[in-house]
Amino acid sequence: MSILGRILMVEDDPKDVELSLTALEEYNLANEVVVARDGEEALDYLYKRGKFADRLNGNPAVLLLDLKLPKINGLEVLQRVRADEKLMMIPVVVLTSSHEEKDMVASYKLGVNAYVVKPVEFHQFVNAIKELGVFWAVINQPPPGSIRKN
Amino acid sequence: MAKSTPHIPTSLSAIQGYGLAVLSFAAALGGAVLLERFHFRDVEVPLFLFSVALSAWYGGTGPAILALVLSCVGFDFFFVQPLYTLYITRDDLPYFLVFAAFASLVTWFSTVRRRVERELGTRTAELEAVNKELEAFAYSVSHDLRAPLRHMAGFTQLLQRSSESVLNEKSQRYVKMILESANRMGVLIDDLLSFSRIGRAETHKSLFSLDQLMQEVLTEVRQETEGRNISWKVARLPSLYGDRSMLRLALVNLISNAMKFTRTRSQAEIEVGYTDQQDKVIVFVRDNGVGFDMKYVDKLFGVFQRLHPSEAFEGTGIGLATVQRIVLRHGGRVWGEGQVDKGATFYISLSKSQGV
């Protein structure tokens, strides 16, 4: 599944990953997802390093980014993406548990495209994930250089 | 100088303090002698007192005593007959003692005042540290507590979906209850977080029309009153000084409460009014709802405190606690009066002017 990967989901919590994938399955979008378990893996994917060295070229259509991550946190990933000319156009959606204003402000200052607080209620959570997946992977026109659906 | 704290930049080392005492004494003496040359009389006592006060303020007790002793000697030597001796006549003794006593008093006042200032500095620093800790705590609650909750709710729902046909009625009810509890805990955490946010957020105060704000609030909450028979009696409210968005939240809570607890009435009556008290405005919201027992009046404003069973009236019990916190942050007061089945009245007193 890691070949196509139009959605790069950066999420350290396996349960959140499973719930999100379950939600995306309903629109057959689960196959489009690559999961990175921390900030470092996310950057490895983007730069085609480490275990992602053999992946196809191209940027993901969207980066779903948790803020609290092991090793390199979400804001740092966002900062590095925005600072790199090859990556800066990737749409980034922060997907977090945090309602905190300072996280939100910091994310927007770093140029995030959307900030979504994960709802506790499952239906809402599923809907939020589905809508995000459909919007960014299907409806939105990704910037040039993104992986295209065949 | 019991404790030295780095917060007050004017703090001097011991040597500097004693140096200041000597210098200020010398300046006072020089000034007094000079002024006397120009036939200004009796300026020496205030000048010496000034040098003592200065030494006490910046140097502490030791330098103050030094300045006091120097002042007494200088006063005696240069300004008390016979001049230029340290001899004190019997007649001059009371004058001399009064000077010494007064200077001691000034020293004492300065030292106390200084100590209070120091303590205040330490306390403020401590308070800031505690506040920061609290903020970190709330942040971690917001992040880390919500995730497992979301998983509980999520997987329970998936279980519900996948095993609907297998589970008997009883088990399905259990699953439903797990879900309800998880969702309720989510609401509680959110409420607690927004409550703690009110305590931490800075207030942005300005002069605004309370009347206009109340109209906004009423427009907002009235959307939920469809099919209800409520007679509103709303007075024209004055303008006051405060954080508009916070007070808006307080009013929304009060009005929503009035609407909630009159739900069992065929004809609900809600009145909003105010009384003017010099620099204060007391705004009240009165309803003819289910009211409460004055026995429990102390519990009204507690966090997650409820006086009615949740089957009868929904809510987590954070509303009035929020109102109280907002009003307290405005230097005001909030209280309630009620009678079982006869309705309740909630009052908030707010300052009209900036001087809070």
Side-chain angles (χ1 to χ4, degrees):
Chain A
M1 79 169 198
S2 68
I3 300 304
L4 195 56
R6 297 166 69 229
I7 299 174
L8 175 59
M9 181 183 289
V10 194
E11 173 63 69
D12 63 316
D13 192 323
K15 298 198 182 76
D16 262 341
V17 171
E18 195 177 330
L19 284 179
S20 303
L21 291 180
T22 311
L24 290 170
E25 248 161 37
E26 291 193 23
Y27 284 114
N28 298 321
L29 285 170
N31 291 334
E32 321 242 338
V33 180
V34 178
V35 178
R37 301 297 307 275
D38 56 49
E40 200 177 275
E41 268 193 20
L43 291 172
D44 280 352
Y45 178 87
L46 294 171
Y47 287 112
K48 287 184 67 179
R49 294 184 305 218
K51 72 175 192 182
F52 296 109
D54 300 327
R55 76 165 177 96
L56 291 174
N57 285 328
N59 289 331
V62 64
L63 177 56
L64 298 181
L65 190 62
D66 192 8
L67 287 184
K68 205 173 176 185
L69 293 167
K71 296 186 199 167
I72 300 173
N73 73 35
L75 288 176
E76 278 177 76
V77 172
L78 177 58
Q79 196 170 14
R80 297 219 206 155
V81 166
R82 287 297 180 246
D84 187 312
E85 212 169 307
K86 288 202 189 87
L87 306 177
M88 66 191 298
M89 286 200 290
I90 301 175
V92 179
V93 176
V94 164
L95 189 57
T96 174
S97 299
S98 167
H99 267 299
E100 287 294 311
E101 201 181 297
K102 68 172 189 208
D103 281 342
M104 200 184 296
V105 171
S107 303
Y108 277 117
K109 272 192 181 156
L110 288 172
V112 80
N113 298 78
Y115 188 98
V116 178
V117 178
K118 295 174 190 167
V120 167
E121 214 276 316
F122 185 61
H123 273 302
Q124 291 173 20
F125 178 78
V126 168
N127 285 339
I129 299 292
K130 276 198 280 206
E131 276 169 35
L132 277 176
V134 169
F135 180 80
W136 290 104
V138 180
I139 297 174
N140 186 52
Q141 285 291 321
S146 305
I147 301 166
R148 297 267 162 187
K149 189 159 187 165
N150 305 320
Chain B
M1 280 180 94
K3 283 180 271 184
S4 72
T5 45
H7 305 289
I8 297 158
T10 49
S11 272
L12 299 175
S13 72
I15 296 169
Q16 283 172 322
Y18 286 107
L20 177 75
V22 174
L23 274 180
S24 65
F25 160 72
L29 179 63
V33 170
L34 201 68
L35 285 168
E36 206 174 40
R37 281 280 153 78
F38 294 103
H39 307 289
F40 291 102
R41 296 201 45 82
D42 295 332
V43 288
E44 67 278 2
V45 172
L47 280 175
F48 283 138
L49 281 177
F50 187 72
S51 86
V52 173
L54 203 69
S55 309
W57 189 258
Y58 289 106
T61 317
I65 290 171
L66 178 65
L68 175 60
V69 171
L70 286 174
S71 295
C72 287
V73 174
F75 183 48
D76 182 25
F77 194 77
F78 290 98
F79 300 99
V80 178
Q81 297 292 344
L83 288 177
Y84 312 120
T85 62
L86 286 176
Y87 180 74
I88 305 170
T89 62
R90 208 174 144 269
D91 297 347
D92 283 331
L93 201 61
Y95 187 64
F96 210 78
L97 286 177
V98 167
F99 169 75
F102 194 65
S104 310
L105 199 68
V106 168
T107 307
W108 186 63
F109 278 170
S110 309
T111 324
V112 168
R113 169 70 217 276
R114 196 84 181 128
R115 200 177 58 223
V116 169
E117 197 173 281
R118 257 164 226 292
E119 263 167 30
L120 204 66
T122 325
R123 291 282 155 79
T124 311
E126 277 172 16
L127 215 61
E128 272 165 13
V130 170
N131 223 16
K132 222 169 242 166
E133 220 164 83
L134 205 66
E135 208 163 302
F137 175 73
Y139 185 80
S140 115
V141 167
S142 130
H143 262 282
D144 304 335
L145 235 56
R146 287 164 56 94
L149 200 61
R150 204 173 49 243
H151 303 152
M152 268 167 63
F155 288 108
T156 310
Q157 202 129 23
L158 289 176
L159 175 71
Q160 202 176 31
R161 210 186 288 172
S162 66
S163 58
E164 213 168 4
S165 52
V166 197
L167 291 180
N168 62 23
E169 210 167 289
K170 204 175 184 183
S171 308
Q172 279 181 24
R173 202 174 72 89
Y174 291 159
V175 172
K176 202 172 139 237
M177 287 201 296
I178 295 173
L179 261 181
E180 277 171 10
S181 296
N183 288 337
R184 179 163 176 77
M185 188 164 164
V187 176
L188 285 172
I189 290 176
D190 284 351
D191 278 358
L192 200 59
L193 278 176
S194 60
F195 179 68
S196 98
R197 215 169 288 139
I198 294 164
R200 290 179 287 139
E202 277 179 41
T203 52
H204 302 286
K205 293 186 181 175
S206 60
L207 188 71
F208 66 91
S209 160
L210 197 60
D211 199 56
Q212 206 185 348
L213 184 66
M214 184 56 91
Q215 293 309 323
E216 279 178 34
V217 169
L218 289 177
T219 320
E220 184 186 316
V221 295
R222 268 176 183 162
Q223 292 168 351
E224 301 153 24
T225 61
E226 268 175 52
R228 298 250 337 245
N229 189 7
I230 302 177
S231 92
W232 294 89
K233 207 166 124 191
V234 182
R236 277 195 71 91
L237 300 173
S239 288
L240 57 75
Y241 191 81
D243 187 311
R244 196 174 190 275
S245 64
M246 277 198 190
L247 287 173
R248 183 194 163 91
L249 183 61
L251 292 180
V252 166
N253 271 305
L254 288 177
I255 301 287
S256 316
N257 268 359
M259 283 168 39
K260 193 199 297 183
F261 294 108
T262 50
R263 201 164 48 205
T264 52
R265 299 285 181 266
S266 52
Q267 170 73 56
E269 285 164 27
I270 299 175
E271 184 188 352
V272 180
Y274 77 100
T275 48
D276 222 324
Q277 278 193 352
Q278 291 173 346
D279 57 335
K280 276 189 300 187
V281 183
I282 298 174
V283 180
F284 66 85
V285 178
R286 180 172 294 145
D287 65 59
N288 67 337
V290 293
F292 61 88
D293 193 333
M294 280 303 271
K295 206 160 50 178
Y296 303 119
V297 72
D298 297 340
K299 297 191 172 178
L300 279 175
F301 300 98
V303 177
F304 294 149
Q305 184 70 57
R306 299 172 43 91
L307 295 183
H308 302 277
S310 51
E311 302 93 77
F313 296 101
E314 72 289 347
T316 54
I318 200 89
L320 285 177
T322 305
V323 172
Q324 185 181 45
R325 189 165 260 198
I326 291 169
V327 173
L328 286 181
R329 290 211 63 180
H330 282 77
R333 218 162 65 80
V334 56
W335 68 99
E337 284 166 8
Q339 220 177 330
V340 175
D341 250 5
K342 296 260 168 66
T345 310
F346 286 94
Y347 302 86
I348 53 178
S349 81
L350 293 165
S351 169
K352 265 188 280 189
S353 57
Q354 195 162 351
V356 187

